[in-house]
Amino acid sequence: KFKFIVRLNMTSVAVLSLMLGLVAPWVIPLIFGNTFSGAAIALQCLLPGIVFISGSKLIALLVVQGGYIRFNLYATAIAAVLTIGLDLLLIPRWGIVGAAFASSISYFALLVVPCLVVRSKMKISVGDMPFLRPSDITRIRAMVSDRLPFLTSK
């Protein structure tokens, strides 16, 4: 059940991020004005990181439940060092886009470390966690039809 929740979460966030990334070049200037149109690229660079962090928050809970909480601290430390180092390297050259890219890389580290702990220490496969499988779609349909029968045709 936990893997299903992770898959549902990461897939939902990935789809929403993709949609936001596609409309960002039009929506940001519409809401904030043309002065901020360059922020769309930064947002697009940050969105993969949002997907990574959405998964890492859930997998980190599994690490805590397994008694390996110190590895979440290690992941945070690694991400902090990566963020600072990459910010120093990328911001002078690429500005806000460099900062967004650095954050996405750091968020990826926050996902990788707990995944490695879950796989190596807890012996739980993580390869099937990121995105929904066809069997998950069937499960979601069954849940919807059980709870909202008026949405299903008979």
Side-chain angles (χ1 to χ4, degrees), residues 59 61-68 114 116-125:
I59 296 172
L61 293 173
L62 191 58
V63 170
V64 170
Q65 288 177 342
Y68 297 102
L116 290 174
V117 171
V118 167
R119 190 185 77 199
S120 64
K121 300 275 187 197
M122 301 173 72
K123 308 297 184 211
I124 298 172
S125 168

Side-chain angles (χ1 to χ4, degrees), residues 35-108:
T35 306
F36 291 92
S37 62
I41 296 169
L43 175 63
Q44 291 168 332
C45 291
L46 188 60
L47 289 173
I50 300 302
V51 176
F52 301 145
I53 199 88
S54 74
S56 75
K57 294 297 182 186
L58 292 173
I59 296 172
L61 293 173
L62 191 58
V63 170
V64 170
Q65 288 177 342
Y68 297 102
I69 193 169
R70 69 183 180 280
F71 288 99
N72 286 340
L73 176 63
Y74 300 157
T76 303
I78 290 167
V81 169
L82 272 172
T83 300
I84 293 167
L86 289 170
D87 280 349
L88 291 172
L89 185 69
L90 300 176
I91 290 174
R93 187 168 186 165
W94 290 303
I96 190 173
V97 172
F101 191 67
S103 293
S104 281
I105 292 171
S106 298
Y107 295 156
F108 182 69

